Amino acid sequence: MSWIIIGLAAGAMLVLGVVFSFVLGWANKAFHVEVNPLITEAINVLPGANCGGCGYVGCGDYAEAIVLSNAPINKCTVGGESCTQALAAVMGVEVEASFPWRAVVHCGAHTHDRLGRTPYIGEQRCATANLVTDVQGCIYGCLGFGDCTRACQFDAVHVEDGLARVDYEKCVGCGACAKACPRNIITMAPFKSEQMLVVECSNLDAGKDVKMVCNVGCLGCRACERISDLFVLKNNLSTINYDAYSPGELDTAMKATQKCPRQRLVFVGKPDEKDRLSDGAPPQVVVPDFKTTVDDTEWRG
């Protein structure tokens, strides 16, 4: 009797196995979604970092946008030019001239340069400290608690003496640091050369007010503007016209950097061979987009 029961159970399991195999096979065909082979090719070309620097959730989402929505093929900062070239080959399109995007910290004040700074014992994060009134006199400057450092997956941003600094040997331009900064003093800029001239300040106050809160902030004195057409004063802050930025204009701009009383006109980027071999310190390096506790502004260079 027991053998009969075992046989019936085994037979029932076999029948159920056959039925479920049939159902699953049918469902696989009925609900199968064809994947565009170009999407697969684009995914294989992308670096797989899923950093979000392109503006999409990850590499897969970006690949779909390229193939299905004609998204630009040059938005992968991690893959760089070689990735753009490979994506162009996949899509059968021409590659337009472009420049790598890198981060710039639009502040040059170290801890000892900041005046009116009050003791802060709260959560050691920029986003939290930025909510505290008068945490430091300058409402535009770097808070120095390292939100940008923690956001960077490539170990390219470090806080040195209270000021965020970018390591351009490691920066891939993903933009994570810029998104993390509550004051938006880190912005993404197209680097037309390995080193770019920037105004290392974001304070929009009048010169006399800047002096009260910072030892190195831009005074809006127009000294640079009088020397070179590259510089224009906007809202008390010197800005650079990057549309006119070219090697030919830099000779005059160099004179302007020497005249700046606060030395806030600096070159940022990768040190060249001359810098590597010299005994002097390499050029300073930074990138901009601003938001303070009182206003939102845009990148000024």
Side-chain angles (χ1 to χ4, degrees):
M1 185 68 177
S2 61
W3 289 103
I4 295 176
I5 295 175
I6 293 173
L8 290 173
M13 293 297 292
L14 179 61
V15 171
L16 286 174
V18 172
V19 171
F20 279 117
S21 297
F22 173 79
V23 171
L24 291 174
W26 169 82
N28 184 52
K29 293 181 179 180
F31 298 103
H32 176 69
V33 177
E34 288 289 341
V35 177
N36 190 319
L38 288 179
I39 295 177
T40 303
E41 289 187 47
I43 291 175
N44 292 335
V45 164
L46 291 167
N50 295 315
C51 64
C54 59
Y56 296 89
V57 174
C59 293
D61 192 35
Y62 179 41
E64 288 188 13
I66 290 173
V67 176
L68 303 180
S69 305
N70 294 318
I73 61 174
N74 61 352
K75 296 180 73 65
C76 181
T77 56
V78 176
E81 185 178 353
S82 61
C83 181
T84 301
Q85 294 283 355
L87 287 172
V90 169
M91 298 302 296
V93 297
E94 294 290 332
V95 180
E96 296 182 0
S98 61
F99 302 101
W101 290 74
R102 297 291 181 263
V104 178
V105 180
H106 216 60
C107 177
H110 291 279
T111 301
H112 61 274
D113 295 315
R114 301 171 192 168
L115 309 177
R117 194 174 175 87
T118 57
Y120 174 72
I121 59 174
E123 185 181 11
Q124 300 296 293
R125 291 182 177 274
C126 300
T128 306
N130 192 45
L131 301 176
V132 179
T133 304
D134 295 332
V135 65
Q136 64 183 30
C138 179
I139 60 174
Y140 300 90
C142 176
L143 290 162
F145 292 112
D147 288 17
C148 50
T149 299
R150 288 182 286 272
C152 181
Q153 300 180 33
F154 303 95
D155 191 35
V157 186
H158 303 95
V159 175
E160 301 174 3
D161 189 17
L163 178 63
R165 284 303 194 199
V166 179
D167 182 346
Y168 288 94
E169 298 283 2
K170 296 180 180 179
C171 179
V172 299
C174 69
C177 56
K179 295 175 183 176
C181 179
R183 289 189 167 181
N184 285 356
I185 63 167
I186 303 178
T187 60
M188 307 308 298
F191 271 44
K192 294 183 176 181
S193 59
E194 290 290 353
Q195 296 179 4
M196 293 290 288
L197 181 64
V198 301
V199 180
E200 204 181 42
C201 181
S202 60
N203 198 317
L204 304 180
D205 294 335
K208 61 181 180 62
D209 296 320
V210 174
K211 287 182 178 181
M212 294 176 62
V213 297
C214 182
N215 286 326
V216 297
C218 175
L219 301 177
C221 66
R222 296 183 182 271
C224 55
E225 186 181 53
R226 286 191 290 269
I227 296 173
S228 172
D229 292 336
L230 276 181
F231 301 95
V232 178
L233 193 71
K234 294 182 179 179
N235 298 320
N236 298 314
L237 180 66
S238 178
T239 64
I240 297 176
N241 177 12
Y242 283 100
D243 290 334
Y245 193 98
S246 66
E249 294 289 338
L250 290 183
D251 291 339
T252 306
M254 284 295 293
K255 297 178 182 178
T257 65
Q258 298 167 5
K259 290 293 184 180
C260 177
R262 291 298 185 100
Q263 298 183 343
R264 286 309 92 210
L265 307 178
V266 300
F267 281 91
V268 301
K270 294 181 180 179
D272 58 24
E273 196 61 28
K274 179 180 177 182
D275 298 317
R276 296 177 197 276
L277 297 176
S278 69
D279 294 329
Q284 300 182 57
V285 189
V286 205
V287 185
D289 174 1
F290 313 122
K291 181 194 293 178
T292 73
T293 51
V294 296
D295 73 340
D296 291 340
T297 55
E298 296 182 0
W299 185 71
R300 300 181 182 82

